[in-house]
Amino acid sequence: MEDGKFAQINQFLLVLYQDARQLAPYAFQQRMLEHLAEFVDYDYAVWGGAREAEREVTDLVTINQSPELLIQWQEVAHQDRFCDLTLNHLNHTWMFDDIADYRNSLAYNEHWRAFDIQHMISTIMSEPVDGYVSYIGLCNTDHARPFSEVERHIKQFLMPHLSEALRLNRQMALHIPGDEEEGMALVNHKGMILASRPPFDQLLREEWGHEKFSLPTTIFSEDNAFGDWCGESIRLQYRQLNGHYLVRGRPVSSLDKLPSRAREAAELYATGFSHKEVARRMGISPETVRKHLARTFTQLGINNKASLAR
């Protein structure tokens, strides 16, 4: 490799791991795809993840192209010989031209040609999350501009670093202080758990009774940036984060099991409001507030405001 190209790649790797620690996941992936253009000449780029068995795209970042590129691809996913090749040889870089007569295939003519894609260079990487793979595909629209073997080798060299940096980037998103009973996870819009911090996985096992690597999408609301869900043994609170969800999970407490109005009264009272102030905020009488608090004290086994605050 030429000294100049070696130095360029070395600089790229320094920026890669630096940005992995500093940027939010979506912004990090988009920035790195833009940097890849320094080494591989492409028109479109995609970086995403998928459930391997179903070939279902679960998260996606694109450059110069609509996400529909891969959303519509799922209609021909199980007839795509290029996908067969890359899935059967994970962690290796492949091109359309590696498959004889690929441009006469159904997947190419029914899908890729519709997006004017003449050449693709793609790598699917195995990931620690069970059943989950990540991939980066780079595309060209000019038939006379195929990807070179040098570009293949450079992409093959960089892919393990990109995959590892993405895992680091997702883990960094979880470094938010919490108590020992609270776990955290980074979850995509399909409910796939991309990274987690203990005891999140254990809490899921207690709620659903088995190993679970995804959350029901009904927990989340696309209309709300923040949300709260309470099950039998786990309470989840989430906020949207660049197309993902940052989810906190903790065991259900006695306070969580209170009726919603009683819990609201208890939370207001515990933060310092008087009976009358709580009543005014909730639009109920002070006597009703006292009844709510009396039931709460009994259920929690406490007898004063300081204990409730704790």
Side-chain angles (χ1 to χ4, degrees):
M1 185 182 295
E2 297 176 1
D3 289 344
K5 184 63 71 175
F6 181 85
Q8 190 179 9
I9 290 176
N10 186 54
Q11 182 61 33
F12 171 81
L13 293 177
L14 291 173
V15 172
L16 172 70
Y17 287 105
Q18 179 180 337
D19 284 357
R21 292 179 173 87
Q22 297 178 350
L23 299 179
Y26 184 92
F28 166 71
Q29 290 174 271
Q30 193 165 47
R31 178 80 63 83
M32 290 306 106
L33 285 179
E34 291 169 352
H35 277 304
L36 269 181
E38 300 169 12
F39 308 103
V40 182
D41 184 21
Y42 69 78
D43 295 319
Y44 306 150
V46 297
W47 188 350
R51 300 178 191 272
E52 181 179 359
E54 298 89 354
R55 304 189 183 189
E56 178 188 4
V57 177
T58 59
D59 50 283
L60 183 64
V61 176
T62 62
I63 295 289
N64 301 333
Q65 184 55 265
S66 164
E68 287 296 316
L69 173 69
L70 281 180
I71 293 173
Q72 292 183 20
W73 168 78
Q74 292 181 203
E75 297 177 5
V76 298
H78 291 278
Q79 290 82 41
D80 194 337
R81 288 189 288 140
F82 186 63
C83 184
D84 294 339
L85 176 66
T86 50
L87 278 177
N88 289 331
H89 299 84
L90 293 175
N91 309 326
H92 291 276
T93 300
W94 302 95
M95 298 188 284
F96 277 174
D97 290 336
D98 292 325
I99 300 177
D101 207 31
Y102 178 69
R103 288 176 180 77
N104 289 327
S105 69
L106 179 145
Y108 180 80
N109 285 285
E110 292 292 326
H111 179 72
W112 299 116
R113 193 168 67 173
F115 286 89
D116 197 28
I117 292 175
Q118 300 292 328
H119 298 281
M120 182 185 292
I121 185 169
S122 179
T123 319
I124 299 181
M125 302 294 294
S126 58
E127 298 293 344
V129 180
D130 186 50
Y132 180 79
V133 294
S134 65
Y135 55 86
I136 292 181
L138 307 177
C139 310
N140 275 335
T141 60
D142 185 353
H143 187 73
R145 190 160 52 94
F147 294 104
S148 69
E149 287 300 318
V150 171
E151 289 173 320
R152 186 206 296 261
H153 292 314
I154 291 176
K155 186 171 187 291
Q156 177 69 38
F157 173 80
L158 293 176
M159 279 303 302
H161 292 280
L162 289 160
S163 181
E164 179 62 28
L166 180 59
R167 287 195 289 271
L168 171 64
N169 175 252
R170 288 169 169 171
Q171 288 290 341
M172 292 300 295
L174 304 180
H175 288 182
I176 298 175
D179 59 46
E180 292 183 356
E181 292 189 332
E182 182 181 78
M184 296 190 67
L186 185 69
V187 181
N188 67 24
H189 72 287
K190 292 280 190 177
M192 198 82 179
I193 298 171
L194 304 175
S196 63
R197 187 187 75 188
F200 195 86
D201 294 345
Q202 178 60 36
L203 290 170
L204 295 194
R205 284 192 288 271
E206 292 174 5
E207 176 69 25
W208 281 282
H210 56 81
E211 295 285 347
K212 195 168 185 67
F213 297 96
S214 62
L215 294 173
T217 55
T218 52
I219 288 174
F220 307 108
S221 171
E222 293 183 1
D223 298 328
N224 297 320
F226 300 88
D228 194 326
W229 179 88
C230 190
E232 292 295 322
S233 60
I234 185 175
R235 183 173 183 180
L236 302 175
Q237 294 175 304
Y238 68 84
R239 66 180 176 90
Q240 291 186 11
L241 178 69
N242 295 94
H244 298 77
Y245 297 102
L246 190 62
V247 184
R248 292 177 181 266
R250 61 173 176 77
V252 169
S253 67
S254 298
L255 190 62
D256 293 323
K257 296 177 181 179
L258 292 171
S260 60
R261 295 291 278 174
R263 185 170 67 248
E264 183 182 358
E267 289 173 346
L268 289 170
Y269 185 65
T271 57
F273 292 106
S274 67
H275 290 85
K276 289 183 179 180
E277 289 170 329
V278 173
R280 186 162 53 250
R281 281 176 170 267
M282 293 182 63
I284 57 179
S285 69
E287 182 60 28
T288 301
V289 172
R290 290 189 179 90
K291 289 180 180 179
H292 280 320
L293 293 175
R295 295 193 194 98
T296 298
F297 279 28
T298 299
Q299 185 164 333
L300 299 182
I302 57 177
N303 56 20
N304 58 66
K305 190 173 188 177
S307 297
L308 179 63
R310 284 196 296 272

